[in-house]
Amino acid sequence: MADVEHVQVKFFTKQEQYSVPDTLFSVPASVDSKQLSQLINSLLQGDAKTEGDEDLVKFDFLLDGEILRTALNHLLQEKEVSSEAVIELEYVERQPAPYPENSLLHDDWVSAVQAAGENILSGSYDNTVRLWNTQGEPVMTIPAHADPVKCVAWIRHDTSDIESTFVSGSHDQTAVIWRWHKERNEVDCIHVCKGHSGTVNCVSVSPSKEKMCTVSWDKMLKLWSADCLPEDEPESDRPRKKKKTAASKAQTRVPILTLSGHNDAVTAVQWVDDTSVVTSSRDQTVRIWDLKQAVQSNLLQGSEAIFDVAYSPLNGLLVVASASRHIHLYDPRSKEGAVVKQSFTSHTGWVVSVDWSRNNEHLFLSGAYDSILKLWDIRRQDFYVHVFLDLLPKAPLYNMHGHEDKILSVDWSVPELILSGGADNNLKIHHYNVTS
Amino acid sequence: MNVSEEEKLHSSDNESDSESEGDLLSENESSSEDITESSSDSGSDSDTESESEDEENAPNGDIRSGDAEKQEKPKDEYAEDSSDEEDIRNTVGNIPMEWYRDYAHLGYDVAGQKVAKGSKGDELDEFLDKMENPDYWRTVTDKLTGQKTVLSDDDIDLIKRIQKGCHPSSSENLHEPWIDFFSSETMIHPVTNRPADKRSFIPSKWEKLKVGQMVHAIKMGWMKPRQEKKVKEEQEFYNLWKDDEEPEITKRYRQHIPAPKEIPGGHAESYRPPPEYLFTKEEEEKWREQEPDERRINFIPQSFSSLRLLPAYDRFIKERFERCLDLYLCPRQRKMRMNVNPEDLIPKLPKPQDLRPFPTAEYLASIVFKGHTDIVRSISVHPSGQWLATGSDDGTVRFWEEITGRCWRKVDVGGKVSSVAWNPDPNLCLVAVAVNTSVILINPRLGDKLIVSNTDSSVLSFGQEEDNSTVAEKKLPVNWIPSDLNLNDYKAGILLRVEHNKEVSQVTWHAKGDYFATVMPQGGSMSVFIHQLTRRRTQNPFSKPKGLVQKVMFHPVRPYLFVATQKYVRVYNLLKQQLVKKLQTNCKWVSSMDVHPGGDNVIIGSYDCRLSWFDLDLSTKPYQTLRHHKKAIRQVTYHRRYPLFASASDDGTVIVCHGMVYSDLLQNPLIVPVKILRGHGTQKGLGVTDCQFHPLQPWLFSAGADGTVRLYR
């Protein structure tokens, strides 16, 4: 061991519960963060040494705001820090890693996925919508559409209620509102929303659960009523599109409002609040619409066809996935200056789906055609602020491998569940331990 | 009377004075000269003669006046100023005195008495006189009287002044200070203050008369105004070689060409060079073997113990001669060397980064469409960009969802597909597929349900109306077979078959979607057919074979048809049925062609690796030819929206170029290669067989011989 180079290290932290005495340590230069983490743990626990790894708190170590990922001497070389001087290492508790929980096999590509409460809804290219519970057991398979399903969304889902409602949109240009009776395990098609003349790309239900918006390849944004009160029986003999969805109660519903403005297919929609929605389009724009006045209230110009947009009510920011490997963070409130606040570059394929965490304003998910699901922290750039002038984070918090083909859809509606559906016919469930 | 008076008045010294006057000069001369000379006879003779004449002419009066002044200053000047009143003691008159040489007397005085000659002493007396008499030098002999007179001081002064060339009178000053009365300066008190003449301000009557006459003469035409002389004509010849900016002489100064310098001698040329400069034997041998031109030095260094032993320089003449040759052959003119930075010669092209967007292929291909089992021959993108149709050698046409790369539908057409083309009409959902000898119209049943069902019904209904006309044009070997009877075909979406007699290599739609053209390279005179979908009619636009037709394209706006044969592209006006243009491609074999959406530019790809850009307004020859591919070009294509074009080649690459066409007619298109897209492998000598741009996005689809279709962003 004598020939191994040692460096002098001093530890400090901002998290008070993990603070250690301000003493110098001499550690081998080739030490990595795991070993350092053990060292901190042993300091914290004093003499009482435990063998079990699970008791240990995992830490991330930062040198001048850069996370230690490999051996310490590599980082020292990279940052050209002398190994003679005393190195001050900051440590923070590591964000918990999501771990793979389940993989739900479908018959075809999983193009849409959303969770609510104990249940997961998925849409597939075999024209079906499937219901699962969080344990990964199939609840129901609904032959919902005549063409592949593009999007699904829960309208009302309460664990206490015996009835839940959800909506699915499809290549067959319709969105269908379904009612699921849990006890009887029956699904009724309540309403068929007809009006689009192209694939329904995305559907989003308003926070108040009364309205929903669909966007389509026909460049239109349509607003529908989302109430699913069973209406009068006699209207059931209207001509129906689908035999398979043959719920006799299905009624055709027409849009309340149709908004045009995009010059190309609209790819995604999400409610900002009860009166406005944000849409993204392949015409390289993100637009925000005021539905009360039926006007476009804001336009953010990108530089690529945009595939997905997600809005977080916690921080009011938009995360945008476009036809490139970059994810951009937009601030819709900024009137002047660059719209793009940050860029996140790590994917090696088109990013097609993004979703914000519902309870942590810093975290979001992204799924891309490189079949890797990534978890990002937008604060992450704080660590790099001194190093990179462009504030480019080097890497996401976590990469979640597992998919063997393109990821088509991701969902983080339930904070504990990270869902992703891909072209390998799988719906992957990752469990995420929610901290504070 | 006068004379006598004078005699009385004048004293003897006066007498002597006057005597001295008479022979003043001659005597003086003689006195200054040698005694011997003055005594010599002949010389003195001539002298005295001339002197006497002089004496007569001028000086007499002056001297006299001088005398008078001197003597009688208080007297009136004019009182005795009379030549008559001279005291004349000898009255012989003005004769040469030699005449009295032989006489004892010298003439006669007034009284008639002989004037005796002065006793002439002998030489000894003379000498003694000279020695003793202090006034000897100023003593002169009066020739008239023979008396000796001594000149006074005033006389001496006078003589001296005359000798100097001054004015004889000392009181006279010839160089008085000059007073400039008529100076240029205007004085307060002018020298003359005469008023101007009256005539100077009265117009001249004479001139008036003269002018009046001339005016009248001009009026009457008798007098013509003088014609101006013609401006000197330009020189007939001019110096063609003259450098007009710089005169010859300054040029010579400026562009002085110094004589070539002689190389100064080195150590080796010394009479006793250091030993290291001396040749060894080998070196000397080597030196002798070398050609004179190749030698490093043109002599053999030699060493002498002292300068004395140095022999005469044997190479002197030769060296001088060579020097003369150097001077003679030295350049007389400065050679103007082109001092150009090679990079300046390259045309200035913008950087590719500034020309975004274009497909960049960050990770080889964004989406790979896998499914075909054989060479994919043709791609066509739905006008909305949502769908993609590909035809392959495996006998299928596949329809893909562009965004996910999902194969949506597969139609078995039972033969190698050579070409697929979406109908550009947004109200139809129809794909034309060229398979073997037929063109199949397929409804892929994608997109809007309404359009899909409309397409089915309308395409089939077109047939029913036009049955008669097809019969009428039976002579053409084209057969329209609607497939409504064939249920299997209809389920697969095949609506119509258009059977030809030869293999169809290409099918292309007119921009409005009603007409489509087919190419049968082996068809001879019937190698191009234009079909009308709505009337199910077929026309053969050309009665004569024009060569092996490779591709045809409709003009996007005008009723023109571009027909590419092996070496030429002909542009026909379909309405007027005439040839508009014939483009010379300079290629050996044209493989592909595309027309710019503006319609004024065409790109041609050829099997000899060239891509030629034609500007139809500019010329029938290529505006620019790009040779970036290493193997045959299979397909060239323009982007409908962005200023991009691409070429697909057998070397497995697609090269994307920026091709900006300006609306300003004066500005030529800007062509910049921006990206090489790789990813396709090569199989059976084929690489990329087709490439098409996305109609709305700056994306590119390429079909490869490896059975894949790739989307590059």
Side-chain angles (χ1 to χ4, degrees):
Chain A
M1 284 303 281
D3 53 340
V4 176
E5 194 188 358
H6 277 59
V7 289
Q8 287 192 311
V9 183
K10 192 187 272 184
F11 297 102
F12 69 99
T13 184
K14 288 166 187 160
Q15 291 166 308
E16 285 180 15
Q17 70 269 30
Y18 297 124
S19 58
V20 293
D22 188 16
T23 50
L24 277 178
F25 294 91
S26 181
V27 294
S30 57
V31 74
D32 62 10
S33 62
K34 194 176 173 187
Q35 292 162 316
L36 287 170
S37 189
Q38 279 174 349
L39 175 67
I40 298 291
N41 273 299
S42 62
L43 287 169
L44 288 171
Q45 291 164 357
D47 300 328
K49 289 198 174 174
T50 51
E51 296 300 313
D53 247 15
E54 57 269 15
D55 293 356
L56 296 176
V57 185
K58 284 186 178 164
F59 294 103
D60 267 335
F61 293 86
L62 297 107
L63 174 64
D64 279 354
E66 182 143 5
I67 280 202
L68 176 64
R69 288 182 179 278
T70 56
L72 180 60
N73 51 2
H74 292 167
L75 187 64
L76 292 177
Q77 275 175 13
E78 196 180 304
K79 294 177 69 68
E80 292 172 356
V81 175
S82 163
S83 55
E84 307 276 317
V86 176
I87 296 155
E88 297 203 344
L89 279 179
E90 186 186 354
Y91 60 96
V92 290
E93 191 187 0
R94 190 175 284 184
Q95 293 276 0
Y99 57 91
E101 199 173 59
N102 217 329
S103 180
L104 311 178
L105 190 64
H106 290 61
D107 292 343
D108 210 334
W109 294 9
V110 184
S111 58
V113 58
Q114 194 173 34
E118 292 289 301
N119 293 100
I120 297 167
L121 195 62
S122 72
S124 168
Y125 265 64
D126 61 358
N127 309 353
T128 60
V129 173
R130 287 164 202 256
L131 277 166
W132 312 78
N133 62 19
T134 44
Q135 280 72 49
E137 293 155 353
V139 176
M140 186 176 282
T141 300
I142 310 153
H145 289 275
D147 274 324
V149 178
K150 271 304 245 192
C151 52
V152 291
W154 289 100
I155 299 173
R156 285 177 194 278
H157 182 91
D158 270 320
T159 40
S160 53
D161 280 358
I162 50 164
E163 277 192 347
S164 297
T165 48
F166 57 89
V167 61
S168 66
S170 158
H171 265 287
D172 65 5
Q173 308 170 7
T174 60
V176 181
I177 300 173
W178 307 87
R179 183 171 56 213
W180 173 45
H181 196 283
K182 282 180 193 166
E183 283 190 351
R184 282 184 283 168
N185 204 11
E186 274 180 10
V187 164
D188 298 329
C189 168
I190 314 171
H191 293 291
V192 178
C193 303
K194 286 187 181 176
H196 280 298
S197 61
T199 303
V200 177
N201 275 327
C202 189
V203 59
S204 178
V205 180
S206 74
S208 67
K209 321 268 186 206
E210 286 165 357
K211 304 270 173 57
M212 65 175 191
C213 270
T214 58
V215 291
S216 159
W217 257 94
D218 61 4
K219 309 172 189 175
M220 299 296 176
L221 162 72
K222 285 180 194 280
L223 176 70
W224 315 77
S225 162
D227 65 28
C228 7
L229 299 170
E231 288 173 32
D232 304 348
E233 304 286 318
E235 292 178 42
S236 60
D237 39 44
R238 283 186 184 173
R240 252 158 271 125
K241 186 86 187 170
K242 295 154 287 290
K243 251 196 286 177
K244 278 197 168 180
T245 60
S248 55
K249 290 169 248 168
Q251 294 165 353
T252 301
R253 179 167 278 186
V254 290
I256 302 168
L257 189 65
T258 299
L259 290 167
S260 64
H262 281 293
N263 302 319
D264 203 345
V266 192
T267 50
V269 61
Q270 194 180 354
W271 287 81
V272 174
D273 52 47
D274 257 340
T275 57
S276 57
V277 293
V278 57
T279 59
S280 69
S281 163
R282 285 163 60 108
D283 65 0
Q284 314 183 346
T285 60
V286 171
R287 293 171 200 239
I288 297 173
W289 308 81
D290 188 335
L291 296 178
K292 228 174 206 174
Q293 295 168 18
V295 289
Q296 172 190 322
S297 60
N298 201 353
L299 186 147
L300 308 172
Q301 180 74 44
S303 60
E304 291 286 349
I306 296 166
F307 293 145
D308 198 6
V309 63
Y311 172 81
S312 170
L314 300 173
N315 54 16
L317 294 174
L318 295 171
V319 60
V320 167
S322 59
S324 65
R325 57 206 189 88
H326 315 288
I327 305 163
H328 298 296
L329 195 66
Y330 287 21
D331 189 348
R333 295 160 296 191
S334 68
K335 292 295 175 200
E336 63 244 12
V339 191
V340 179
K341 292 285 165 203
Q342 279 178 50
S343 294
F344 304 92
T345 307
S346 167
H347 280 295
T348 57
W350 285 3
V351 186
V352 290
S353 186
V354 287
D355 200 5
W356 282 99
S357 166
R358 292 297 188 275
N359 62 341
N360 189 331
E361 62 188 87
H362 304 304
L363 301 180
F364 70 90
L365 271 183
S366 70
Y369 280 180
D370 60 1
S371 68
I372 301 170
L373 183 67
K374 298 196 186 223
L375 176 63
W376 301 85
D377 188 337
I378 60 165
R379 281 176 312 178
R380 194 60 176 216
Q381 40 85 27
D382 296 341
F383 304 149
Y384 302 104
V385 69
H386 307 297
V387 185
F388 298 103
L389 290 173
D390 52 356
L391 308 182
L392 262 186
K394 252 185 174 175
L397 277 182
Y398 294 105
N399 287 344
M400 285 163 270
H401 299 268
H403 280 289
E404 284 148 14
D405 207 340
K406 299 185 270 282
I407 292 175
L408 299 176
S409 172
V410 298
D411 178 67
W412 204 357
S413 308
V414 176
E416 290 85 13
L417 294 176
I418 291 174
L419 305 178
S420 63
D424 56 352
N425 303 352
N426 269 319
L427 195 164
K428 300 270 181 193
I429 304 172
H430 285 81
H431 191 84
Y432 186 74
N433 279 327
V434 183
T435 54
S436 59
Chain B
M1 253 297 276
N2 273 341
V3 175
S4 65
E5 268 182 24
E6 262 211 308
E7 254 189 291
K8 290 168 192 167
L9 284 172
H10 284 285
S11 60
S12 62
D13 56 57
N14 258 354
E15 209 178 313
S16 71
D17 245 356
S18 63
E19 267 182 355
S20 72
E21 286 170 27
D23 209 359
L24 184 70
L25 283 177
S26 62
E27 280 307 323
N28 224 2
E29 243 178 30
S30 63
S31 65
S32 66
E33 283 170 5
D34 252 330
I35 303 163
T36 48
E37 262 194 36
S38 69
S39 64
S40 69
D41 288 350
S42 61
S44 65
D45 269 344
S46 60
D47 274 352
T48 45
E49 244 178 11
S50 64
E51 241 62 316
S52 63
E53 278 170 19
D54 284 348
E55 165 196 358
E56 266 176 18
N57 295 335
N60 266 349
D62 284 337
I63 293 169
R64 237 180 279 132
S65 70
D67 275 355
E69 255 179 50
K70 180 191 75 187
Q71 289 179 351
E72 301 155 357
K73 255 186 184 166
K75 275 190 199 170
D76 180 27
E77 226 178 318
Y78 301 102
E80 291 181 68
D81 187 18
S82 164
S83 55
D84 300 338
E85 289 167 20
E86 275 179 85
D87 65 323
I88 301 164
R89 264 161 281 170
N90 194 346
T91 56
V92 291
N94 200 6
I95 56 151
M97 279 299 145
E98 286 99 78
W99 293 354
Y100 285 96
R101 195 189 295 161
D102 299 333
Y103 299 95
H105 65 283
L106 267 175
Y108 308 92
D109 60 7
V110 180
Q113 302 296 320
K114 285 181 183 174
V115 175
K117 275 186 185 174
S119 60
K120 243 190 174 180
D122 55 357
E123 301 238 329
L124 190 61
D125 292 336
E126 186 86 29
F127 177 73
L128 289 172
D129 197 22
K130 199 176 184 178
M131 287 293 112
E132 290 164 5
N133 188 6
D135 287 337
Y136 177 79
W137 62 276
R138 58 161 86 180
T139 309
V140 291
T141 312
D142 187 350
K143 277 183 182 168
L144 272 177
T145 57
Q147 303 293 318
K148 284 192 176 173
T149 47
V150 178
L151 297 180
S152 68
D153 284 350
D154 290 338
D155 292 338
I156 298 296
D157 272 357
L158 184 76
I159 291 163
K160 277 185 179 168
R161 271 210 298 280
I162 290 168
Q163 277 179 334
K164 272 188 200 167
C166 298
H167 196 273
S169 160
S170 60
S171 62
E172 196 82 10
N173 188 3
L174 289 179
H175 304 286
E176 295 280 335
W178 174 254
I179 299 165
D180 190 9
F181 292 105
F182 301 95
S183 71
S184 58
E185 291 163 22
T186 313
M187 299 293 171
I188 310 167
H189 306 291
V191 179
T192 62
N193 199 9
R194 200 164 134 263
D197 289 326
K198 187 181 178 185
R199 64 170 182 271
S200 69
F201 47 85
I202 292 175
S204 165
K205 274 187 183 169
W206 169 249
E207 278 176 7
K208 186 186 170 192
L209 186 70
K210 202 72 186 164
V211 168
Q213 278 176 347
M214 285 163 85
V215 168
H216 182 66
I218 291 170
K219 275 184 186 167
M220 300 303 287
W222 302 328
M223 191 171 143
K224 282 183 180 147
R226 199 202 297 167
Q227 284 194 335
E228 278 186 22
K229 270 193 180 174
K230 280 183 185 173
V231 181
K232 207 180 173 187
E233 283 182 12
E234 280 179 23
Q235 278 186 333
E236 211 172 328
F237 306 103
Y238 65 97
N239 188 354
L240 184 65
W241 294 273
K242 195 181 131 197
D243 186 358
D244 44 9
E245 285 172 5
E246 214 171 1
E248 194 70 18
I249 197 90
T250 54
K251 202 158 96 185
R252 199 179 288 175
Y253 283 131
R254 239 168 45 71
Q255 303 194 338
H256 170 68
I257 302 166
K261 272 186 184 171
E262 275 187 297
I263 301 157
H267 289 296
E269 281 172 89
S270 162
Y271 77 96
R272 196 161 65 180
E276 61 264 29
Y277 288 96
L278 295 171
F279 279 169
T280 58
K281 269 191 180 173
E282 298 89 57
E283 280 177 329
E284 194 173 331
E285 265 176 38
K286 194 181 157 195
W287 186 87
R288 285 183 201 289
E289 280 167 18
Q290 272 177 330
E291 290 292 315
D293 293 345
E294 293 173 350
R295 289 169 183 166
R296 193 172 55 82
I297 48 174
N298 54 3
F299 60 94
I300 301 171
Q302 282 174 297
S303 183
F304 299 95
S305 58
S306 74
L307 196 54
R308 264 184 302 118
L309 303 175
L310 199 64
Y313 187 39
D314 55 341
R315 298 188 63 254
F316 180 75
I317 302 283
K318 188 146 196 281
E319 206 165 69
R320 288 296 95 196
F321 173 70
E322 279 169 1
R323 173 68 179 164
C324 288
L325 279 188
D326 280 354
L327 293 173
Y328 158 64
L329 291 173
C330 99
R332 285 305 145 103
Q333 206 170 19
R334 193 158 296 223
K335 202 172 177 184
M336 296 306 284
R337 197 175 290 134
M338 285 280 279
N339 200 6
V340 178
N341 190 0
E343 287 185 2
D344 293 346
L345 298 175
I346 302 169
K348 289 268 179 295
L349 288 180
K351 283 181 182 172
Q353 295 95 288
D354 304 336
L355 301 174
R356 287 175 191 279
F358 56 83
T360 50
E362 284 165 322
Y363 291 94
L364 291 180
S366 299
I367 297 173
V368 181
F369 302 79
K370 284 178 188 159
H372 280 296
T373 55
D374 207 340
I375 300 168
V376 184
R377 289 283 179 183
S378 180
I379 320 175
S380 182
V381 192
H382 189 264
S384 76
Q386 194 180 6
W387 309 104
L388 183 68
T390 57
S392 164
D393 274 4
D394 62 4
T396 59
V397 175
R398 282 174 190 255
F399 298 94
W400 311 78
E401 190 187 15
E402 168 253 313
I403 187 64
T404 52
R406 166 127 181 150
C407 179
W408 209 261
R409 189 182 293 273
K410 185 175 106 178
V411 179
D412 209 327
V413 291
K416 291 186 175 181
V417 180
S418 54
S419 178
V420 293
W422 279 92
N423 189 320
D425 188 351
N427 296 317
L428 286 175
C429 181
L430 199 62
V431 180
V433 181
V435 186
N436 292 337
T437 61
S438 58
V439 172
I440 305 172
L441 297 179
I442 300 177
N443 180 357
R445 301 191 173 124
L446 296 169
D448 195 345
K449 295 274 180 283
L450 207 64
I451 292 174
V452 167
S453 55
N454 281 350
T455 305
D456 273 0
S457 57
S458 59
V459 169
L460 290 175
S461 70
F462 292 150
Q464 291 156 5
E465 296 165 13
E466 293 297 328
D467 269 355
N468 307 338
S469 61
T470 43
V471 174
E473 300 203 21
K474 263 282 190 264
K475 55 184 175 181
L476 289 178
V478 175
N479 201 7
W480 293 71
I481 307 170
S483 65
D484 42 352
L485 301 173
N486 194 334
L487 282 174
N488 282 337
D489 268 8
Y490 182 72
K491 271 181 191 163
I494 298 173
L495 300 180
L496 261 177
R497 284 175 187 272
V498 186
E499 296 284 352
H500 297 65
N501 59 342
K502 292 273 164 43
E503 196 154 308
V504 180
S505 71
Q506 192 211 352
V507 56
T508 180
W509 287 94
H510 184 253
K512 292 218 173 111
D514 191 16
Y515 292 92
F516 63 96
T518 53
V519 178
M520 290 142 290
Q522 284 92 37
S525 66
M526 291 188 287
S527 52
V528 178
F529 284 148
I530 296 177
H531 310 273
Q532 190 179 8
L533 180 65
T534 48
R535 301 175 68 187
R536 279 201 198 163
R537 241 174 42 174
T538 299
Q539 303 166 14
N540 179 13
F542 308 115
S543 51
K544 276 184 255 171
K546 298 284 191 215
L548 209 54
V549 176
Q550 300 296 313
K551 293 271 174 179
V552 296
M553 291 287 285
F554 285 101
H555 191 284
V557 190
R558 279 178 261 177
Y560 289 174
L561 183 70
F562 294 80
V563 180
T565 56
Q566 266 190 33
K567 288 184 179 174
Y568 301 102
V569 175
R570 294 180 174 84
V571 187
Y572 294 95
N573 188 331
L574 291 174
L575 282 183
K576 294 182 182 168
Q577 302 200 334
Q578 64 186 22
L579 181 70
V580 179
K581 257 189 190 123
K582 185 177 171 189
L583 307 179
Q584 294 170 338
T585 61
N586 297 341
C587 307
K588 288 191 182 110
W589 198 309
V590 172
S591 66
S592 49
M593 167 177 63
D594 198 11
V595 184
H596 191 268
D600 285 337
N601 295 277
V602 177
I603 43 173
I604 307 286
S606 74
Y607 288 116
D608 51 350
C609 318
R610 290 168 186 231
L611 188 150
S612 309
W613 177 297
F614 291 86
D615 192 332
L616 296 185
D617 295 334
L618 205 67
S619 157
T620 57
K621 297 214 167 60
Y623 160 65
Q624 202 162 331
T625 303
L626 309 175
R627 287 187 202 81
H628 297 307
H629 282 294
K630 296 190 177 62
K631 286 185 180 171
I633 293 176
R634 289 273 161 191
Q635 175 71 304
V636 290
T637 181
Y638 276 110
H639 200 288
R640 303 289 132 192
R641 258 190 169 186
Y642 292 94
L644 294 172
F645 65 94
S647 55
S649 164
D650 276 347
D651 58 7
T653 62
V654 178
I655 292 182
V656 183
C657 300
H658 178 89
M660 184 58 131
V661 175
Y662 299 96
S663 52
D664 179 8
L665 288 176
L666 292 175
Q667 207 165 0
N668 287 331
L670 172 75
I671 298 170
V672 187
V674 288
K675 188 74 190 175
I676 301 179
L677 302 173
R678 299 171 204 278
H680 285 291
T682 52
Q683 280 180 6
K684 306 173 199 166
L686 293 175
V688 187
T689 51
D690 197 1
C691 63
Q692 290 293 326
F693 279 105
H694 192 285
L696 302 172
Q697 305 287 346
W699 302 342
L700 183 90
F701 297 94
S702 68
D706 53 0
T708 61
V709 175
R710 284 164 193 266
L711 167 61
Y712 297 96
R713 183 199 70 92

